[in-house]
Amino acid sequence: MDYSTLRRQITFMKKSFFDQGYLDEQFNQLEELQDESSPNFVEEVVALFLKDSPRLLTNIEHTIGKYPQDFHRLDSLVHQLKGSGSSIGAVRMKNECSVFKAHCNDKNLEGCRRSLQRMKREHATLKQKLESYFQLLRQVAPREHAVNSRK
Amino acid sequence: MMSCKGLGGEGSAAAAAALPHVLAVDDSSVDRAVISGILRSSKFRVTAVDSGKRALELLGSVCVIFLNLNLLLPFRLCASVLHVLPITFVLGLQEANVSMIITDYWMPEMTGYELLKKVKESSKLKGIPVVIMSSENVPTRITRCMEEGAEDFLLKPVQPSDVSRLCNRVLR
């Protein structure tokens, strides 16, 4: 695939993430921070999120299964997930975390369970989309660096 | 994170010391990376730690280096190093010199509010501006932090524009 086609694909992919509500402005803000000294900043931050979030999801699932129910702990765990999700602009994840939190507040375990399932699906989709995005970016990266160094 | 530079390193140590050094405190690895990235792109030196406890260790870290050095070297060598140490020590102090602390509010064990209180209670540290970050907009929380001497309160997700505006006001 040639450079300009790749570039178009990247732009289109990113636009679809925004249009479909997977990512918000925070993601753009992070991309704007990238420069020669930290060219892969967003990919690194997303990698941290994708490393950390499965652990949180597992802990949430484990805590839901415990008896007696520990809604305080559930709230604390989902608070962390919501925080890191919103820091990378993962708006769907953030919103689902808010739904989960509301169920926690109502001590609605079944609501929490259903919300967790949605969260896991959102997470899997987001992971797949972002990984594809960065894979494409890596393909144009050597060319970008060459272009920048000529400036 | 901390190092004692030799005498020859004076030039670079002085240059490095000229850049404001911000201490970022957050238990989330993602948020640490984001705040570090934002601060670095504004050309600040950043040290990021994951707890209030580690932050206080760093802020009071002068003694820690001294002790570690003594443990690492045999006694005779230690004695001659100690002659040199006061000078390298001063350079080390300059590097540790923290111009601002930016901390998350909700952290296990020690909250950002508790860290703020400890900093403001310390005669050595109380002059350092402390900024609190939180994902929750709780007016009573904000008031309490400001009353305790916080420089500012930022809502998460923290954006580059928030931080550069803040740093320009506080640090330059």
Side-chain angles (χ1 to χ4, degrees):
Chain A
M1 208 181 289
D2 71 11
Y3 175 78
S4 56
T5 311
L6 271 171
R7 265 271 132 223
R8 264 200 310 276
Q9 217 184 345
I10 288 167
T11 308
F12 180 76
M13 194 186 271
K14 197 170 117 166
K15 186 174 184 301
S16 76
F17 293 166
F18 280 81
D19 291 343
Q20 290 165 30
Y22 285 100
L23 294 176
D24 68 14
E25 181 54 28
Q26 180 69 9
F27 190 84
N28 273 337
Q29 298 255 1
L30 295 184
E31 283 202 321
E32 276 168 29
L33 291 175
Q34 291 187 145
D35 58 20
E36 308 81 52
S37 61
S38 60
N40 305 311
F41 175 65
V42 185
E43 189 176 354
E44 287 160 6
V45 175
V46 168
L48 281 170
F49 173 77
L50 292 175
K51 186 174 152 207
D52 206 42
S53 44
R55 177 186 61 85
L56 285 168
L57 287 166
T58 303
N59 281 347
I60 291 169
E61 186 148 39
H62 178 74
T63 308
I64 282 181
K66 274 165 76 174
Y67 191 84
Q69 284 104 41
D70 190 347
F71 287 105
H72 183 77
R73 173 137 176 86
L74 279 177
D75 186 75
S76 167
L77 288 168
V78 85
H79 180 82
Q80 290 176 58
L81 185 59
K82 183 179 170 186
S84 53
S86 75
S87 290
I88 66 164
V91 64
R92 278 201 188 192
M93 287 263 359
K94 178 181 77 167
N95 290 343
E96 194 56 54
C97 288
S98 296
V99 170
F100 190 103
K101 269 187 156 240
H103 290 312
C104 270
N105 276 345
D106 297 338
K107 299 207 169 11
N108 178 356
L109 195 69
E110 199 42 49
C112 288
R113 271 205 188 97
R114 285 196 305 269
S115 180
L116 175 64
Q117 294 316 310
R118 285 193 300 268
M119 244 193 273
K120 283 160 78 174
R121 280 198 298 274
E122 285 299 340
H123 184 269
T125 307
L126 181 69
K127 178 177 150 109
Q128 182 250 315
K129 283 181 185 296
L130 285 173
E131 282 177 347
S132 307
Y133 178 72
F134 289 119
Q135 202 167 42
L136 274 184
L137 274 179
R138 262 177 258 133
Q139 287 180 55
V140 296
R143 175 72 183 263
E144 308 270 81
H145 287 157
V147 168
N148 284 335
S149 64
R150 262 185 256 130
K151 285 185 188 156
Chain B
M1 210 185 286
M2 287 297 307
S3 65
C4 273
K5 287 229 170 85
L7 297 175
E10 268 167 75
S12 54
L19 281 177
H21 182 200
V22 180
L23 177 61
V25 191
D26 202 314
D27 61 316
S28 156
S29 62
V30 173
D31 290 353
R32 274 201 305 282
V34 169
I35 194 70
S36 297
I38 294 175
L39 288 164
R40 280 192 191 110
S41 79
S42 297
K43 309 293 180 227
F44 296 115
R45 278 185 305 137
V46 190
T47 301
V49 298
D50 65 0
S51 68
K53 180 166 169 243
R54 285 210 211 292
L56 290 170
E57 278 170 10
L58 189 102
L59 290 163
S61 65
V62 161
C63 303
V64 171
I65 298 177
F66 192 80
L67 286 168
N68 281 344
L69 221 65
N70 281 329
L71 288 169
L72 288 170
L73 300 171
F75 181 71
R76 263 187 310 158
L77 194 52
C78 215
S80 55
V81 166
L82 283 173
H83 275 299
V84 174
L85 205 56
I87 304 169
T88 59
F89 216 27
V90 167
L91 293 173
L93 260 175
Q94 273 191 302
E95 284 182 48
N97 195 25
V98 170
S99 314
M100 186 174 85
I101 300 167
I102 183 162
T103 177
D104 189 25
Y105 182 88
W106 263 131
M107 295 186 290
E109 290 165 22
M110 189 190 299
T111 65
Y113 176 73
E114 286 159 357
L115 174 61
L116 164 69
K117 276 186 76 172
K118 285 194 155 57
V119 167
K120 294 303 168 186
E121 281 163 8
S122 152
S123 52
K124 185 183 144 210
L125 304 174
K126 66 183 175 190
I128 305 176
V130 181
V131 175
I132 313 275
M133 304 180 281
S134 175
S135 55
E136 291 163 318
N137 188 353
V138 180
T140 48
R141 178 185 297 177
I142 299 172
T143 310
R144 211 157 53 110
C145 289
M146 299 309 286
E147 279 172 359
E148 199 59 45
E151 180 65 35
D152 207 335
F153 194 102
L154 297 179
L155 280 181
K156 282 180 163 186
V158 169
Q159 295 183 339
S161 51
D162 297 330
V163 175
S164 58
R165 206 171 36 233
L166 168 73
C167 288
N168 285 335
R169 203 182 73 222
V170 173
L171 297 174
R172 298 202 219 268

